[in-house]
Amino acid sequence: MRSRRGWIRRARAPVAPAAGPPRAAHHLDWQPVRPQIHPIPSGTRDVLPDEMRELRAITEAVRGVFERDGYGEVWTPALEHEAVLGRGGGAPPAYRVFDDHGEVLALRTDMTVPIARVVATRYAGAEPPLRLCYFAHAYRAVRPHRGQMREFLQAGIELIGAPAPHGTAEALTVLCHALDAAGLRDYRIGLGDASLYPRLLDRIGVPEAARPQILHELVARDFVALEGELGRAGIDDGDAELLLRAPQLRGGPDVLAGAEGPLADAVAGLRRVHELLAPEVAARVIFDLGLVRDLGYYTGAVFDVYDPALGAPLGGGGRYDDLLGRFGCPLPAVGFALTIDRLHIALTGEEGDR
């Protein structure tokens, strides 16, 4: 019979005692059970009760903020038609299957594209803005040996029909409310603009053929490779210096105030967002003019959440003003997602530093 601690109680034949009072005919002996290894897919994990209680406490705190700020929770299928996900321009699917009709289905890579589909299908005639939130697993093609997860729980919002800068300021405010409610203390939000660098490339006249690799190096934050690509594109020294310097500018509002020439025009939208933020939210923001997210639907302000207790962003988001139009419902939109596992790690790290 298995006990609570993973041991097995076995009966064994009695051994004649050397001396002393008589013993019972049988007695119980405890022997350890050799653990058996039954593997699970790479990039996934089991969550046991103690940790599950902590994760649930985090999600309930975040859910309370979303509800208080007027965001209604939605749920979508984990499986979507691959063509639908492809139309959204998000991350490529990690898992594909065929259904019994021969249709190609894929596990969702995030919730933004499925919610865009929901809005276009179910809320086409609704009066914007729409405020929706979710708590759902997403699935990505990643490199598990680097500690990345293929399956992860996200909590997020989508604000549909609220243009910049007011919609962006609201999303950042809800993000701070959620992190505060979860108990995170030392976080900062890196804020940039996905359109800033492409605008500079337009202004300078960088050839279209050279742009994909230039943007790839920018996403990778490989400035040595970026310099090489700018040289191969035949960009003159002055313009190349601007394109190298701009994405390395990072700091407080002085970063925006010090922008000149083409860069001043590019940061105007960020300046308007900053003016709308409450002081306690603005204090959390670090302007990062080189911040570019690798999902293809972002069009304007983008942001990542950082905490000293974690070496990677624990969430992020931004504006995707063109995505709804791909589903026949052209509306501006902004949203963010928090990775609950990473938020949990950051909270645990902060508690360890106290």
Side-chain angles (χ1 to χ4, degrees):
M1 180 177 68
R2 185 178 297 276
S3 77
R4 292 182 179 178
R5 296 184 180 274
W7 297 70
I8 289 180
R9 192 169 59 184
R10 304 179 189 273
R12 70 179 186 181
V15 177
R23 300 180 63 180
H26 291 80
H27 72 277
L28 297 174
D29 184 21
W30 294 91
Q31 298 180 11
V33 178
R34 179 174 296 176
Q36 299 184 35
I37 305 300
H38 301 288
I40 60 175
S42 64
T44 66
R45 69 189 189 99
D46 297 315
V47 181
L48 304 183
D50 287 345
E51 184 181 358
M52 193 66 234
R53 280 189 288 270
E54 295 176 0
L55 294 175
R56 184 70 66 191
I58 293 170
T59 57
E60 289 307 306
V62 172
R63 179 180 278 107
V65 169
F66 292 170
E67 291 179 351
R68 186 194 69 202
D69 288 347
Y71 287 79
E73 186 174 353
V74 296
W75 186 269
T76 71
L79 284 168
E80 294 271 355
H81 288 282
E82 185 180 28
V84 171
L85 296 178
R87 190 187 312 170
Y95 301 97
R96 297 176 177 86
V97 297
F98 290 95
D99 68 8
D100 54 349
H101 300 292
E103 296 282 349
V104 182
L105 308 179
L107 285 172
R108 62 185 173 220
T109 55
D110 65 15
M111 282 292 289
T112 300
V113 175
I115 287 181
R117 173 189 57 75
V118 168
V119 170
T121 305
R122 309 295 292 273
Y123 292 96
E127 185 70 24
L130 301 173
R131 292 178 171 85
L132 304 174
C133 70
Y134 57 86
F135 297 82
H137 285 88
Y139 305 85
R140 297 270 178 91
V142 297
R143 298 179 180 178
H145 65 277
R146 294 187 176 180
Q148 297 174 312
M149 299 300 294
R150 292 182 184 271
E151 178 186 47
F152 49 93
L153 177 62
Q154 289 188 321
I157 68 162
E158 309 295 349
L159 177 56
I160 311 295
H166 290 84
T168 308
E170 178 177 329
L172 290 168
T173 301
V174 176
L175 175 58
C176 287
H177 289 169
L179 294 169
D180 292 342
L184 204 63
R185 299 173 305 153
D186 301 328
Y187 68 91
R188 292 293 183 270
I189 300 172
L191 178 61
D193 191 323
S195 67
L196 186 151
Y197 208 77
R199 245 186 268 170
L200 290 178
L201 296 180
D202 286 339
R203 182 80 174 262
I204 291 171
V206 175
E208 288 289 341
R211 296 188 186 192
Q213 193 60 36
I214 288 174
L215 293 173
H216 172 78
E217 304 303 348
L218 181 62
V219 171
R221 310 286 281 196
D222 188 340
F223 295 111
V224 173
L226 177 61
E227 183 175 12
E229 291 299 325
L230 295 175
R232 278 187 283 275
I235 300 169
D236 67 51
D237 290 345
D239 290 336
E241 193 276 334
L242 172 62
L243 292 173
L244 278 172
R245 178 173 55 86
Q248 299 183 64
L249 293 174
R250 195 168 186 269
D254 54 303
V255 169
L256 306 183
E260 299 176 348
L263 194 55
D265 297 334
V267 303
L270 294 177
R271 190 178 296 111
R272 288 193 293 270
V273 171
H274 183 252
E275 292 168 353
L276 293 171
L277 297 176
E280 64 273 15
V281 177
R284 298 285 190 177
V285 171
I286 299 171
F287 293 97
D288 183 352
L289 302 192
L291 179 60
V292 179
R293 309 204 80 218
D294 57 359
L295 298 179
Y297 47 68
Y298 287 114
T299 58
V302 288
F303 38 92
D304 277 339
V305 181
Y306 308 106
D307 189 89
L310 189 69
L314 56 91
R319 297 208 62 85
Y320 49 97
D321 293 333
D322 297 338
L323 178 59
L324 273 294
R326 303 177 195 175
F327 292 90
C329 186
L331 287 170
V334 63
F336 67 78
L338 294 170
T339 302
I340 297 299
D341 287 337
R342 290 186 175 185
L343 178 54
H344 183 226
I345 293 170
L347 286 165
T348 302
E350 286 194 353
E351 289 174 1
D353 293 338
R354 292 177 185 176

